[in-house]
């Protein structure tokens, strides 16, 4: 089954921070998990390069928008391998192949009668690239997201007849209750739709940095229309000489932050309907990483640089922390101090020590070979159905929950070592069989958690499974008892050394 998952495309007017890394890591965890299930996966990420904020930032720096976009897109592109995000393509919206496809699709929307000329006047946030209405306008006509003043804008431009999709969108939310996840966000999208849809401005007259409107080249498309379409256009040119659209469209899952819910849950499905394209299967809306209770964002100046964290603690620790500390879907604070605590108590002590102890005991007591012994039945029962449970949670993008279930087993294995005290059994020749069973069960439990942790901690899982002499990472390998015994294990450097 093809599985197509996307991240939002990132604005190139700022450097990447942990908030951006977050969405990409989450999407990558899901993609890796789906690959473990043998699905044909395509993970798309990239950069959103048109629009006013980029044009303005370029002007301030005295470079062309394309030069600024080239420079900053490269920072996002280079970030992905550092995060161990294995994207299948990186789209840039200034790519002429994207531009051409946007024009084709938008021409179709125009030909289908969904566009008209009009005058727009309203409060506009240049950083959101969005006109604001009602409760989207903060105190003193400011943007509640960026806490910066809104500007009054008036212009003649093209409009998209969003209002004519009122009924189809209401039906969408009635019939497909899992179109938007988590449920709370579906309610939000639904009440937005039920509140009555207004037509939206589709183009900008006073801007050159964008995709020219094919039927009126004096204007460019409003950046959000150009940006949303990346999810479709990329499939047309991601592989030279191949069109992947038939294989991967409609997308299985768009992962986005809650600030861009309206665009993805309201405008995007309407635009697809207007273009005669199929709707994605699911949107998952995550919350914000906060610092001191405020959204981490460049404009508020409270950002963590993922590169600094990676340099000190490594990529896996960063991936783990992001998905563990803040329940995926909700907002939550992150801080360097909490990060260090989790690194030490959970990664270094609970997982790292468990792994080194297990491997050291196998080396010391059984010459580095996993005994072919009976498995501990009580421990086996605690692992029963774990792979399926994790898969079900990840199907709903409940990444923190899934990680928690795996981690419960890490803790269970630590208790198991303490309860069985293999070092005592080793002193008693009559307990040889019991020691065999204990070590085999321990190795098997560790192998299972390593397989399930692979999407979250790819490098750690690779090292650990290699040391356990059982490199298989298919989801089927996560069954307790799937390891045959008899594997040759090797010593392990600390997985999470002291920093
Ligand atoms: N370019 C648009 C998206 C277009 S998608 C067709 C955009 N870009 S962005 O760079 O501002 O944000 C990209 C993603 O990063 C969004 O999902 C946003 O929610 C996420 N985050 C940015 N800061 C964040 C946090 N502090 N916490 C969590 N995610 C945040 O919006």
């Amino acid at each position: 089954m093809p599985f197509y998952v996307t991240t939002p495309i990132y604005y190139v007017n700022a450097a990447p921070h942990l908030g951006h890394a977050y969405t990409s890591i989450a999407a990558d965890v899901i993609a890796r998990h789906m690959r473990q299930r043998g699905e044909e996966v395509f993970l798309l990420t990239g950069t959103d390069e048109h629009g006013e904020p980029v044009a303005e930032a370029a002007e301030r720096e005295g470079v062309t928008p394309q030069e600024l976009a080239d420079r900053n897109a490269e920072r996002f592109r280079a970030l992905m391998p550092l995060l161990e995000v294995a994207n299948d393509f990186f789209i840039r919206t200034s790519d002429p192949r994207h531009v051409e496809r946007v024009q084709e699709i938008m021409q179709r929307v125009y030909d289908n009668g969904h566009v008209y000329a009009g005058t727009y006047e309203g409060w506009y946030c240049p950083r959101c690239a969005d006109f604001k209405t009602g409760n989207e306008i903060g105190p003193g006509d400011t943007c509640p997201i960026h806490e910066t003043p809104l500007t009054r804008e008036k212009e003649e431009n093209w409009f998209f007849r969003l209002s004519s999709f009122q009924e189809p969108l209401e039906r969408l939310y009635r019939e497909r209750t899992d179109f938007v996840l988590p449920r709370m966000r579906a309610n939000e999208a639904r009440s937005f739709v039920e509140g009555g849809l207004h037509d939206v401005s589709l183009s900008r007259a006073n801007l050159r940095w964008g995709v020219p409107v094919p039927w009126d080249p004096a204007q460019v498309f409003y950046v959000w229309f150009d940006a949303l379409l990346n999810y479709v256009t990329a499939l047309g040119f991601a592989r030279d000489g191949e069109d992947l659209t038939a294989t991967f469209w409609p997308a299985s899952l768009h992962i986005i932050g809650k600030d861009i819910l309206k665009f993805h849950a309201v405008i995007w499905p309407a635009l697809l309907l207007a273009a005669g394209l199929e709707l994605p299967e699911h949107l998952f809306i995550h919350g914000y990483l906060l610092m001191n209770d405020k959204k981490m964002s460049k404009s508020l100046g409270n950002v963590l640089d993922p590169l600094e964290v990676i340099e000190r603690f490594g990529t896996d620790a960063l991936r783990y922390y992001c998905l563990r500390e803040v329940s995926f879907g909700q907002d939550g604070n992150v801080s360097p101090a909490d990060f260090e605590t989790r690194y030490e108590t959970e990664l270094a002590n609970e997982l790292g020590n468990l792994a080194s102890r297990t491997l050291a005991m196998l080396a010391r007591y059984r010459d580095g070979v996993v005994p072919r012994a009976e498995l501990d039945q009580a421990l086996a029962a605690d692992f029963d159905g774990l792979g399926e449970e994790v898969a079900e949670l990840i199907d709903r993008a409940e990444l923190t929950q899934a990680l928690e279930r795996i981690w419960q087993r890490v803790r269970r294995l630590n208790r198991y070592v303490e309860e069985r005290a293999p070092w005592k059994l080793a002193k008693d020749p009559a307990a040889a069989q019991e020691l065999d069973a204990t070590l085999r069960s321990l190795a098997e439990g560790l192998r299972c958690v390593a397989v399930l942790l692979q999407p979250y901690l790819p490098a750690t899982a690779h090292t650990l499974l290699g040391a356990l002499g059982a490199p298989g990472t298919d989801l089927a390998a996560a069954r307790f008892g799937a390891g045959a015994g008899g594997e040759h294990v090797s010593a392990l450097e600390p997985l999470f050394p002291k920093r």
Side-chain angles (χ1 to χ4, degrees), residues 11 51-53 120 122-133 136-137 142-146 149-153 162 192 199-201 204 222-225 259-264 267:
Y11 285 133
E52 226 158 316
Y120 196 92
W123 289 108
Y124 182 78
C125 170
R127 293 202 39 111
C128 292
D130 189 18
F131 281 100
K132 305 281 175 176
T133 53
E136 297 172 317
I137 300 173
T142 54
C143 168
I145 296 173
H146 293 100
L150 298 172
T151 58
R152 196 74 195 161
E153 300 276 335
L162 183 61
F192 189 92
D199 295 344
V200 290
S201 146
R204 311 286 291 148
Y222 170 43
V223 63
W224 267 100
F225 285 84
D259 47 343
I260 52 180
L261 172 79
K262 180 181 79 183
F263 295 103
H264 284 81
I267 297 180

Side-chain angles (χ1 to χ4, degrees), residues 348-400:
N349 293 346
E350 292 176 345
L351 181 61
N353 284 351
L354 174 71
S356 355
R357 281 171 111 182
T358 302
L359 289 162
M361 290 190 290
L362 282 164
R364 180 161 341 137
Y365 306 135
R366 290 295 178 265
D367 290 329
V369 178
V370 178
R372 290 185 205 274
E374 287 284 301
L375 288 164
D376 185 292
Q377 288 311 302
L379 190 65
D382 283 340
F383 275 78
D384 200 29
L386 178 60
E388 292 78 5
E389 204 182 326
V390 166
E392 262 169 47
L393 288 165
I394 296 189
D395 275 338
R396 298 198 302 273
E398 296 198 14
L399 301 183
T400 306

